[in-house]
Amino acid sequence: MKRVKLIVAYDGTNYHGWQVQDNGITIEEVLNRTISELVQEDIKVIGATRTDAGVHACGNVAVFDTESRIPGDKFSFALNQRLPEDIRIQESCEVDADFHPRYADTVKTYEYNILNRRFELPSKRLYASFCYYPMDIERMNQAAAYLVGEHDFKSFCSIRTQVEDTVRRIYSITIKKNEDDRIDIRISGNGFLYNMVRIIVGSLVKVGCGFWKPEQIKEALEARDRSKAGPKAPAEGLTLISIEEETLPAVIREENEHWSYRVNQGEIESFGKAYIQIYACDECDFERLLLRLVKQASRNGAKQIHVRDNTGHLTLGYKAEYF
């Protein structure tokens, strides 16, 4: 048995998203069927992330297990001969049996395209949303700066989100307008909640069109209330650009208005130890922060995790649901 990793690109126009479902054909369904026919086994791929109906991808990641003797790097060629023309494997390779695309530390990058001109262009309708209001890129970049860093993005995700923790880290947001009247919004982060990118874009559009001040993005973020953020942008403008594995950093240092901490992971590989120091944290966020840091260090391979708390919340006999 071996595990094969695929880098998958697709035009999402004709699909009901990535995940298999009853109401329409999906990318995952097509991959399962095509790989199963190729290797004559019942194959179920595991995707790194799920994209919505109409969303495109240049580099989604998936893995599957097989007994096939086909070399890992040859699956891309074999599958591309069998897949429909709107799905293509960009790369394939064999990976370790315990590699899981959803649990690996990665940097995910999305790009959202907006056609900003007086009238629509039919040739762009499937790959960019349309806005005829003139948009102020400088104001949008000012607003986007409030979202960079580690924050609770509860305001910027669908109310149907099922995850317990809505904290994510955004590394960068860049917004630029091209000569062809296309505005590109590129967002990189360690992970994204359900509809998070599209809601961020919808909120930034409100700023760009002059309906919101840039500071209202910060107000929406602090509210932790979906109703305070902008609308969800249309799916067709969104493309998953890449999912890149992240090298385990020796030290993580994060600080915002609600918490401040440092995680030292330099001894995980050699001694299996990680050290967490919490400098400051709002009382309502403390347990979630502690659990998140402990779980992350554990996933990164730490067998012993030492915690020092400067806030006074961690007392003798303290109990949390993870321990």
Side-chain angles (χ1 to χ4, degrees):
M1 183 72 73
K2 63 186 176 186
R3 177 158 289 193
V4 177
K5 173 183 172 183
L6 305 175
I7 308 296
V8 190
Y10 47 87
D11 180 332
T13 303
N14 296 320
Y15 298 93
H16 285 247
W18 172 272
Q19 187 180 16
V20 170
Q21 51 189 281
D22 296 331
N23 63 343
I25 191 168
T26 67
I27 304 296
E28 187 178 49
E29 176 186 347
V30 173
L31 288 174
N32 287 344
R33 182 176 65 245
T34 305
I35 301 171
S36 296
E37 291 173 354
L38 173 64
V39 300
Q40 294 298 296
E41 302 171 46
D42 184 19
I43 298 295
K44 297 289 188 293
V45 301
I46 302 171
T49 190
R50 300 164 182 173
T51 51
D52 294 337
V55 174
H56 316 294
C58 296
N60 205 345
V61 174
V63 299
F64 65 93
D65 297 323
T66 179
E67 299 279 3
S68 173
R69 297 176 63 182
I70 299 174
D73 62 340
K74 300 301 181 184
F75 271 98
S76 54
F77 297 96
L79 291 173
N80 284 338
Q81 294 178 5
R82 294 165 171 80
L83 287 166
E85 61 184 4
D86 51 6
I87 304 176
R88 283 292 178 268
I89 308 302
Q90 302 300 295
E91 183 183 336
S92 64
C93 63
E94 187 172 346
V95 293
D96 292 340
D98 61 353
F99 174 79
H100 196 296
R102 290 183 198 155
Y103 302 141
D105 288 331
T106 59
V107 177
K108 296 182 175 70
T109 299
Y110 285 87
E111 184 171 280
Y112 196 93
N113 301 136
I114 303 170
L115 186 64
N116 188 212
R117 62 200 306 271
R118 186 178 182 185
F119 297 112
E120 298 179 70
L121 284 174
S123 62
K124 305 292 186 182
R125 73 190 189 284
L126 301 179
Y127 309 104
S129 64
F130 173 71
C131 180
Y132 62 83
Y133 284 100
M135 297 175 69
D136 188 325
I137 303 302
E138 183 177 348
R139 285 168 56 88
M140 294 173 72
N141 275 305
Q142 290 173 9
Y146 291 115
L147 300 174
V148 174
E150 185 177 84
H151 304 285
D152 187 335
F153 285 96
K154 188 173 183 178
S155 295
F156 294 88
C157 68
S158 170
I159 58 175
R160 291 183 292 164
T161 298
Q162 297 178 345
V163 297
E164 295 180 0
D165 191 1
T166 49
V167 172
R168 296 293 184 273
R169 185 181 302 120
I170 289 184
Y171 298 119
S172 65
I173 304 179
T174 59
I175 307 170
K176 64 179 182 178
K177 188 166 185 176
N178 302 283
E179 293 181 357
D180 62 355
D181 296 323
R182 192 186 76 243
I183 293 174
D184 299 335
I185 303 175
R186 184 166 286 213
I187 305 177
S188 292
N190 69 341
F192 295 92
L193 300 162
Y194 185 42
N195 290 150
M196 178 173 160
V197 175
R198 292 167 62 187
I199 295 170
I200 287 176
V201 170
S203 302
L204 292 175
V205 168
K206 298 274 281 187
V207 174
C209 294
F211 303 126
W212 281 10
K213 296 178 180 179
E215 295 78 12
Q216 286 181 257
I217 292 290
K218 181 180 181 181
E219 293 172 6
L221 182 68
E222 293 296 322
R224 305 188 190 187
D225 181 346
R226 172 67 188 93
S227 68
K228 302 301 182 183
K232 180 174 65 178
E236 61 267 18
L238 185 60
T239 299
L240 172 59
I241 299 297
S242 63
I243 300 176
E244 300 177 355
E245 291 184 54
E246 187 177 27
T247 302
L248 182 67
V251 176
I252 299 173
R253 181 75 168 89
E254 289 290 345
E255 183 175 2
N256 60 32
E257 294 180 358
H258 301 286
W259 57 75
S260 172
Y261 68 83
R262 173 189 173 97
V263 180
N264 189 327
Q265 304 180 117
E267 294 185 9
I268 286 183
E269 292 187 4
S270 54
F271 300 107
K273 296 181 180 180
Y275 303 87
I276 297 170
Q277 180 152 5
I278 302 175
Y279 300 105
C281 186
D282 293 347
E283 185 174 359
C284 61
D285 289 312
F286 181 78
E287 183 163 320
R288 288 195 305 153
L289 174 64
L290 178 63
L291 294 179
R292 182 167 69 254
L293 298 181
V294 169
K295 287 179 180 180
Q296 185 63 55
S298 178
R299 283 197 299 268
N300 289 338
K303 305 302 181 185
Q304 294 183 29
I305 302 171
H306 301 264
V307 180
R308 174 178 290 178
D309 170 40
N310 291 3
T311 69
H313 299 314
L314 191 62
T315 56
L316 188 65
Y318 181 93
K319 293 184 179 181
E321 57 90 8
Y322 184 72
F323 304 103

